[in-house]
Amino acid sequence: MPKSLISIHDFTKEEILHILDVAKDFEANKAQPILRDKIVATLFFEPSTRTRLSFETAANRLGARVIGFSDVVNTSVSKGETLKDTIKMVSNYVDIIVIRHPLEGSSRYASEVASVPVINAGDGANQHPSQTLLDLYTIRQTQGRLDNIDINMVGDLKYGRTVHSLLQALSHFSPKFTFTAPDELKMPYEYKVFLDKKGIPYKETADLSEGIADTDILYMTRVQQERFTDIMEYEKVKNCYSLTAGMLENARKNMKILHPLPRINEIAQDVDDTPHAYYFKQAENGVYVRMAIIAYLLGYK
Ligand code: CP
């Protein structure tokens, strides 16, 4: 089975650092058409702006060609074709597959039936490892290091797949976590057990103002409406946090605000003009990191 990126655990610490170093080279030299003979498939069974477009930009910058879909309505999935058959078919057409799917475990399954590498671009509330690598890249870019970062994860820690992957990746680098969430959206037990086993400290609070002054990275997240089975439960928590510029007065100078985006109400527009806002640059970094991931999985070291 070819090497895929389904969970952040699929990459060792050394591989993670290698991807970040190669991404830095790609940021400095954006056009490197080393994959002119390759075809990348982007199969998006769920909506996306950044992940799909940055993967496609990454493929284009590497000189590869891209096929795929961003909506299953016009594919044979709408006639009932299975995920297995879809993946087996597409892996006969292309050199690597990028897939986003609402079901947890779907990307792992795709990697087991595909004859080419598969990149998980988000599977339900489970994992989003390419986002994690670009988050790590951005943390290192803004802080000059990955070790001993104080990071405050805010918002939907229950359904937010980006925080789950990022927590696991940062466990290589001795972080200190604050988890800011209402009771309904707290970090799931399994991730706290994971940190306990590694001896990594974390504290939990529901009060956003409590954790702003003592953090290097304020990692905001959207409440994931699409994961709620009861709309009334979503209505109760949808506006649980709204970060405004006025709340940043006591923030450390080096503190940067990250967000995987899209944002809804959790970051007010006035934050964009503060020196702490970094989420648009974070999204740009996705291109360089995804160039590095595609190149690595296709054997370019
Ligand atoms: N960060 C992220 O996954 O954004 P999209 O849903 O727009 O791809």
Side-chain angles (χ1 to χ4, degrees):
M1 217 160 49
K3 186 170 176 69
S4 290
L5 175 59
I6 305 302
S7 153
I8 197 64
H9 290 311
D10 292 334
F11 279 6
T12 63
K13 180 178 178 181
E14 288 66 36
E15 286 175 304
I16 289 173
L17 291 171
H18 170 77
I19 294 289
L20 304 195
D21 290 343
V22 174
K24 195 172 172 195
D25 286 346
F26 282 133
E27 182 169 10
N29 184 5
K30 295 182 176 63
Q32 297 201 42
I34 55 175
L35 300 182
R36 264 193 289 256
D37 58 337
K38 303 295 183 196
I39 301 177
V40 178
T42 55
L43 310 183
F44 277 68
F45 294 76
E46 261 198 343
S48 166
T49 298
R50 275 146 295 275
T51 309
R52 185 173 66 84
L53 295 181
S54 62
F55 263 118
E56 294 185 357
T57 305
N60 278 290
R61 287 209 183 280
L62 290 166
R65 275 165 286 181
V66 179
I67 65 163
F69 54 80
S70 57
D71 186 338
V72 292
V73 170
N74 294 320
T75 73
S76 289
V77 174
S78 64
K79 301 177 204 162
E81 187 161 38
T82 62
L83 180 62
K84 179 182 179 184
D85 288 2
T86 305
I87 296 298
K88 282 185 94 63
M89 284 298 309
V90 174
S91 62
N92 288 338
Y93 296 154
V94 303
D95 300 286
I96 189 164
I97 293 173
V98 180
I99 179 172
R100 171 171 288 187
H101 196 285
L103 286 182
E104 292 184 24
S106 51
S107 298
R108 179 69 67 198
Y109 179 67
S111 73
E112 286 165 4
V113 296
S115 54
V116 297
V118 173
I119 301 174
N120 178 7
D123 62 329
N126 187 31
Q127 287 265 329
H128 194 351
S130 68
Q131 176 72 44
T132 295
L133 290 165
L134 79 89
D135 291 343
L136 292 177
Y137 183 80
T138 306
I139 292 169
R140 193 171 77 167
Q141 185 172 66
T142 61
Q143 307 300 317
R145 67 185 203 284
L146 283 170
D147 290 305
N148 303 306
I149 295 292
D150 291 322
I151 179 165
N152 185 351
M153 295 177 161
V154 181
D156 188 348
L157 308 186
K158 180 177 180 185
Y159 297 117
R161 56 195 172 200
T162 66
V163 288
H164 301 159
S165 295
L166 182 57
L167 175 153
Q168 291 172 335
L170 278 172
S171 70
H172 293 298
F173 303 101
S174 308
K176 265 192 269 167
F177 287 104
T178 300
F179 299 138
T180 304
D183 276 350
E184 296 87 342
L185 300 177
K186 284 171 82 168
M187 184 61 77
Y189 179 70
E190 72 214 67
Y191 295 102
K192 290 186 275 191
V193 170
F194 173 83
L195 294 179
D196 287 338
K197 280 189 182 155
K198 295 200 154 233
I200 295 171
Y202 61 86
K203 61 182 177 189
E204 295 187 279
T205 177
D207 182 358
L208 175 56
S209 61
E210 220 179 74
I212 292 179
D214 302 323
T215 197
D216 301 313
I217 296 291
L218 190 60
Y219 194 94
M220 302 295 295
T221 63
R222 174 179 66 89
V223 178
Q224 307 276 302
Q225 179 180 6
E226 62 275 30
R227 310 277 172 237
F228 283 75
T229 46
D230 181 345
I231 190 67
M232 293 310 290
E233 291 302 310
Y234 170 70
E235 290 293 327
K236 268 197 269 179
V237 293
K238 69 178 184 186
N239 293 321
C240 54
Y241 301 115
S242 181
L243 184 71
T244 61
M247 296 164 74
L248 302 173
E249 269 175 13
N250 297 323
R252 293 175 182 166
K253 273 203 165 53
N254 64 303
M255 190 276 270
K256 294 296 178 204
I257 301 161
L258 305 188
H259 190 311
L261 302 176
R263 68 173 152 182
I264 308 300
N265 297 318
E266 57 278 3
I267 302 179
Q269 301 278 334
D270 65 358
V271 175
D272 298 358
D273 302 324
T274 72
H276 301 291
Y278 210 77
Y279 25 91
F280 293 117
K281 176 63 181 162
Q282 176 190 7
E284 178 194 322
N285 287 342
V287 173
Y288 316 127
V289 171
R290 288 172 172 133
M291 287 172 80
I293 296 169
I294 293 170
Y296 182 69
L297 292 177
L298 287 177
Y300 291 82
K301 301 289 191 297

